[in-house]
Amino acid sequence: MLIRFPQRKLLIAACLCLSGGFGFGKELELWFVPMSQEGPQKAGLLQWVKENFPKELPKGITVAPNYGPPIYQDAQQKFVVQGRRGKPDVIEGVLEGMIAYQKAGLIAPIDDLLNQWPEKDHFIPSTIKALTINGKVYGVPYNTNVRVLLYRKDLLQKYNLQPPKTWEEMLADAATISAKEQNVAGLALTTKAGSVRTFQEFISFFFQVNGGQNPFKYDEAAKKWSMNTSADKLGQVLALYHDAFFKATPAAVNQNTRGNDYQATDADYVAGKSAMVPMGPWIYSYRKTGETARKILEENTGVAPLPLPPGGSQATYLEVKPIMINAATKNKQESWNVIKVLCSKDFVAMDAKLEGINPPRQDVADLPDFKSDWWQQAFTQQIATGVALAPINWGLVVNDITEALQKVIYQNNPADKVGEELYNTLQQRAQNNQL
Amino acid sequence: MERNSTTRYSNELKTINCKRLIPLKRWFEYLGTAEVRHAAFGYALLAPAVGVILGLNLYPTLTGILNSFTDQSLLNPNAWRFIAWQNYQKLFVDPVFRVSILHSLILTLSAVFLQVALGLAVAHLLVRKVPGIHWFRSVAMVTWVLPIITEVVMFRFLALPNIGLINLLLAAVGLGSMARNWFGDPSFAFLLILVMHLWRNVPFYGVAFMAAMQAIPQDLYEAATIDGATAWNRFRHITLPHLRYIILVMVVLHITFTFNNFDFVYLSTGGGPVDATEVLATYIYKQAWSGYMLGYASAGGVVMLVTLVLLVVLSRRLIGGFAEQ
């Protein structure tokens, strides 16, 4: 029997209500770059996403199986343009991106939610501090790392060298290896223009010179950023790069590798083409790419803190990856529930193991698996010396710094002069409110 | 019959005194005529295309021009001030901008010139009936259909300092001292960008020119040969004039493509080393997405647009004049 018109309308309305409100629950949009990437290194994570992620989510919440752009830069640009419409509800990113989102008012502070979460105290304080801007927390960390010095134990031993403790020792040891070991550079540095890795290496050395301080500080009275360093200090770091490429013959760093980006730096180390390199923990995943890489990383690599300049302090770049909530989302509580899953002990432990990076949670770092892992321990010991970037727009500063660095290593310009130019440029940016 | 009445209404409306009120009924009668219906159908067909052009081209262009006079930031797009010509003044005192505009012009002119010259050479090879030429014609377009990112990654791996094929080959023939990071060398990086453009586009030019060459009547060549014309004269007076339109199309298209191109430079060198490969597209991108300075980047975009229009007009004049001859 046919259902009469008014009843049919009511039935359709009821079905819509059920499907929207109760049957399927709320579907959130999550952008999580590693979940959008492919390749053998991501297989474990993708399998977890497919099989376990839906089960881990609280009842009534689903996440759309499209995790946004697979590249951080793309995700950042798209979120800046479209974030105000409320989608994605949850976004994972890098610290520099979080700072831009906070400036644009695109992400919500989460202090109230975080403070009520019993697991809050398991996070390493420096990683939460890195995500705090003007006293408010804008993200929960799920991944962290610092820069250290990787060195080839076998090569240092061969030439009776100890892991260097000062810049001077590092350059001298590297020059010795460059001179004596065929086709191996003593040291490798990333120096591509505009490259984030180039900047991260530079800023690690800079933090040591600048007493673990950022190059800018916020002037409360003037309500703007001002310089927190000197031209001499910038020049001192630039001089390190100059000396690395030019002081000795053959040089500590192979001059033909000027302009290298991270792919070449990483590939050269695991291929045995360099003996020392400032590096993060991710390179350990290369051990699956071949026997040479495995042998170098598992048997012949040592980890040491970055060598120090005269009078410098132990400091290094701290990378923290946060998960944030869109300020315009209509599902703040549900978004927070998704974050709790992705920052849980289980997920952080699994992700740190898979990606070879460090956990920002102390309870994960204390797990037997991590305690007995020499690689994890070597990096975790340095996390306390990590310095987070100040909450400014680093985009233009990255370009300024990498350009200054290239002026020194290509045109062989005096480091002090370039340091002064760089200081003036950065000061002008601060004065013009471009930070 | 209907045609006559349409003309009558039309003439009547044209000659009507403007000061006099036209009876409404007459308007409705006019709107119902075949002439108006015919024209309306034409406009209706045009409307979607015009809408797309207005929406996707004109609106963003006008918005970009207006933005260039403001200090708008991508981080806070609603808070902006009108700052007149300040962005343009800042642009022209920035040495990196001046270098990038120069690089864009050099790259565009040299790439397009070499593509035409080498494309003609390839086309000459392709029209010859030699063994294997059909196979060669089929694979010639592979470079053009490959995604740009694939090409750049391939070149980057070839040019790597320690494990790149170029350096390994140099070492194998005893020229290991010449090995270097080719994209990281200010003397070679720009040249490599040019080589990537040529590698991608020359086969496409070759195939396009070959198609046009095959349409040239053979008896012209036979007559010229009988009259004693040399190979160069046959090319100069027969081939080249017949190719003028395809050359014009290819030049205009590729001036736009090369001048606007961002991928090759950004993916291979990022504009470095020391701005040696910085072009307008990468400069503007950095201002918009590293500094979030939308107004300033828009000013750069306007300068880019004006330069590009001038280049296209100039090339049309040059090649158009040649076509008239």
Side-chain angles (χ1 to χ4, degrees):
Chain A
M1 196 178 84
L2 279 173
I3 302 170
R4 288 165 69 90
F5 180 68
Q7 284 92 324
R8 195 163 48 185
K9 242 167 101 175
L10 277 173
L11 194 66
I12 291 168
C15 286
L16 284 174
C17 280
L18 277 174
S19 62
F22 310 106
F24 297 107
K26 282 194 173 160
E27 187 176 74
L28 302 188
E29 200 173 305
L30 164 71
W31 283 8
F32 198 103
V33 170
M35 290 182 187
S36 285
Q37 294 172 336
E38 288 177 1
Q41 291 164 335
K42 299 288 167 197
L45 176 67
L46 297 185
Q47 193 183 349
W48 180 89
V49 169
K50 199 174 164 190
E51 292 171 6
N52 296 47
F53 191 28
K55 294 180 209 160
E56 301 278 342
L57 290 168
K59 212 176 170 186
I61 298 177
T62 54
V63 169
N66 170 9
Y67 301 101
I71 298 169
Y72 283 109
Q73 207 174 7
D74 288 354
Q76 199 167 314
Q77 291 172 4
K78 288 193 167 90
F79 189 60
V80 165
V81 173
Q82 69 163 67
R84 284 180 179 81
R85 75 178 175 92
K87 293 288 174 184
D89 302 274
V90 184
I91 181 165
E92 174 260 0
V94 291
L95 184 57
E96 293 88 331
M98 192 196 88
I99 294 167
Y101 303 154
Q102 188 274 337
K103 276 182 170 291
L106 288 168
I107 48 174
I110 51 167
D111 302 73
D112 51 341
L113 297 163
L114 186 64
N115 288 333
Q116 289 165 21
W117 192 26
E119 293 184 28
K120 181 199 166 193
D121 295 334
H122 292 302
F123 288 87
I124 297 168
S126 62
T127 63
I128 295 282
K129 192 180 162 203
L131 307 181
T132 306
I133 303 175
N134 299 333
K136 290 180 178 169
V137 183
Y138 283 88
V140 186
Y142 80 100
N143 168 327
T144 188
N145 66 73
V146 285
R147 298 292 181 273
V148 299
L149 184 78
L150 294 195
Y151 60 90
R152 286 278 300 275
K153 287 190 290 191
D154 53 334
L155 290 179
L156 262 64
Q157 205 171 5
K158 187 174 171 186
Y159 299 109
N160 288 324
L161 302 169
Q162 295 298 315
K165 288 194 165 57
T166 65
W167 286 5
E168 202 176 337
E169 284 175 18
M170 177 174 73
L171 295 183
D173 293 355
T176 303
I177 294 171
S178 294
K180 293 184 175 171
E181 194 72 18
Q182 197 160 10
N183 293 327
V184 178
L187 179 68
L189 294 169
T190 311
T191 48
K192 189 187 173 191
S195 159
V196 173
R197 176 80 80 85
T198 306
F199 165 75
Q200 290 170 348
E201 285 177 14
F202 178 95
I203 205 81
S204 293
F205 293 123
F206 171 81
F207 283 146
Q208 298 183 324
V209 172
N210 208 38
Q213 300 284 315
N214 269 271
F216 303 99
K217 65 173 181 227
Y218 192 68
D219 184 345
E220 283 292 347
K223 297 277 177 216
K224 59 172 26 175
W225 290 89
S226 62
M227 294 303 286
N228 186 33
T229 186
S230 64
D232 288 347
K233 286 178 176 174
L234 290 167
Q236 195 181 345
V237 185
L238 291 168
L240 169 70
Y241 280 81
H242 179 272
D243 291 349
F245 282 97
F246 299 108
K247 193 177 177 185
T249 311
V253 183
N254 180 354
Q255 288 182 5
N256 285 336
T257 61
R258 283 178 294 175
N260 266 1
D261 202 3
Y262 66 93
Q263 300 98 331
T265 311
D266 291 358
D268 279 358
Y269 184 76
V270 297
K273 300 285 183 187
S274 57
M276 290 185 274
V277 62
M279 187 59 71
W282 58 80
I283 199 161
Y284 208 49
S285 61
Y286 278 78
R287 68 194 189 282
K288 292 170 188 164
T289 59
E291 183 51 24
T292 308
R294 189 204 61 76
K295 198 171 176 199
I296 286 174
L297 288 165
E298 289 185 355
E299 295 172 21
N300 293 327
T301 290
V303 177
L306 284 177
L308 286 170
S313 49
Q314 199 66 60
T316 185
Y317 169 77
L318 174 73
E319 184 167 16
V320 182
K321 288 190 177 171
I323 308 181
M324 301 152 277
I325 297 180
N326 188 332
T329 180
K330 289 174 183 157
N331 309 306
K332 191 173 176 185
Q333 187 56 49
E334 291 81 359
S335 300
W336 173 246
N337 288 335
V338 172
I339 288 182
K340 284 200 289 189
V341 173
L342 296 174
C343 297
S344 64
K345 186 178 175 183
D346 289 348
F347 181 81
V348 168
M350 181 208 64
D351 187 58
K353 272 278 169 200
L354 288 173
E355 302 226 23
I357 39 81
N358 305 122
R361 290 178 64 125
Q362 196 58 54
D363 54 350
V364 176
D366 290 341
L367 287 171
D369 261 10
F370 285 79
K371 281 275 186 198
S372 59
D373 186 330
W374 74 275
W375 184 262
Q376 281 287 344
Q377 286 307 305
F379 279 86
T380 306
Q381 281 165 15
Q382 303 301 323
I383 284 183
T385 64
V387 181
L389 294 178
I392 61 157
N393 172 23
W394 285 93
L396 290 171
V397 178
V398 168
N399 288 341
D400 295 336
I401 286 175
T402 56
E403 201 170 304
L405 193 156
Q406 288 210 329
K407 279 181 189 164
V408 170
I409 64 167
Y410 279 106
Q411 296 172 341
N412 203 359
N413 280 353
D416 53 347
K417 190 177 161 230
V418 180
E420 205 173 314
E421 284 171 11
L422 177 61
Y423 181 87
N424 292 336
T425 307
L426 298 180
Q427 191 176 38
Q428 208 167 357
R429 294 221 183 275
Q431 283 168 354
N432 295 345
N433 276 328
Q434 289 179 336
L435 299 178
Chain B
M1 191 63 186
E2 195 182 12
R3 180 83 192 154
N4 288 341
S5 67
T6 304
T7 315
R8 183 165 61 80
Y9 284 126
S10 188
N11 290 338
E12 194 177 327
L13 284 167
K14 276 177 198 163
T15 54
I16 221 154
N17 187 340
C18 290
K19 287 179 183 169
R20 234 175 63 198
L21 194 64
I22 305 165
L24 206 58
K25 190 182 165 196
R26 278 272 189 242
W27 273 111
F28 280 119
E29 282 174 356
Y30 174 65
L31 290 176
T33 59
E35 186 185 23
V36 173
R37 284 208 307 272
H38 187 71
F41 182 65
Y43 284 121
L45 288 178
L46 271 177
V50 172
V52 167
I53 290 169
L54 288 177
L56 297 181
N57 292 348
L58 202 62
Y59 173 72
T61 308
L62 289 176
T63 311
I65 292 170
L66 291 175
N67 279 345
S68 72
F69 296 103
T70 69
D71 63 350
Q72 194 175 32
S73 159
L74 267 169
L75 294 184
N76 202 353
N78 296 325
W80 55 269
R81 287 179 308 128
F82 177 74
I83 54 168
W85 296 95
Q86 280 181 35
N87 284 332
Y88 291 93
Q89 286 164 355
K90 256 170 67 186
L91 267 182
F92 285 101
V93 296
D94 183 353
V96 183
F97 173 76
R98 293 202 300 261
V99 161
S100 61
I101 202 166
L102 185 69
H103 286 162
S104 286
L105 286 169
I106 294 172
L107 182 67
T108 305
L109 296 176
S110 52
V112 172
F113 174 76
L114 288 171
Q115 281 163 8
V116 170
L118 296 173
L120 284 169
V122 170
H124 268 281
L125 285 175
L126 291 175
V127 289
R128 294 191 187 278
K129 292 185 176 72
V130 291
I133 198 66
H134 291 291
W135 176 84
F136 184 70
R137 281 179 199 165
S138 310
V139 298
M141 291 290 282
V142 165
T143 61
W144 200 70
V145 296
L146 270 182
I148 290 180
I149 177 67
T150 313
E151 184 186 334
V152 176
V153 169
M154 192 178 79
F155 269 83
R156 258 178 24 193
F157 275 107
L158 285 174
L160 278 178
N162 285 320
I163 51 172
L165 185 65
I166 298 173
N167 288 336
L168 291 176
L169 289 175
L170 283 173
V173 296
L175 296 171
S177 58
M178 285 179 68
R180 65 195 65 227
N181 177 14
W182 297 90
F183 276 117
D185 189 318
S187 315
F188 290 96
F190 192 78
L191 202 62
L192 265 179
I193 304 271
L194 179 63
V195 169
M196 284 198 292
H197 275 276
L198 298 181
W199 188 84
R200 181 176 181 79
N201 293 322
V202 166
F204 179 54
Y205 273 72
V207 171
F209 291 161
M210 178 200 73
M213 277 181 185
Q214 283 176 333
I216 302 172
Q218 282 304 306
D219 45 2
L220 289 177
Y221 290 107
E222 286 161 12
T225 309
I226 291 166
D227 288 346
T230 61
W232 167 249
N233 281 335
R234 289 198 297 274
F235 173 75
R236 167 80 181 81
H237 297 289
I238 301 172
T239 310
L240 216 49
H242 277 88
L243 294 181
R244 59 189 183 260
Y245 290 116
I246 186 76
I247 290 177
L248 178 66
V249 170
M250 297 295 277
V251 165
V252 169
L253 277 178
H254 279 84
I255 280 179
T256 316
F257 170 75
T258 314
F259 197 76
N260 281 337
N261 184 265
F262 163 82
D263 327 34
F264 280 126
V265 174
Y266 193 75
L267 296 170
S268 58
T269 62
V274 207
D275 303 322
T277 59
E278 193 79 88
V279 290
L280 268 180
T282 51
Y283 176 84
I284 291 167
Y285 175 87
K286 286 174 188 171
Q287 305 310 316
W289 291 109
S290 297
Y292 299 107
M293 299 186 293
L294 194 60
Y296 184 67
S298 298
V302 172
V303 174
M304 193 172 174
L305 178 73
V306 171
T307 317
L308 186 58
V309 168
L310 286 175
L311 272 178
V312 170
V313 168
L314 199 68
S315 62
R316 277 182 64 95
R317 281 276 167 91
L318 281 174
I319 301 171
F322 157 70
E324 290 304 316
Q325 283 174 27

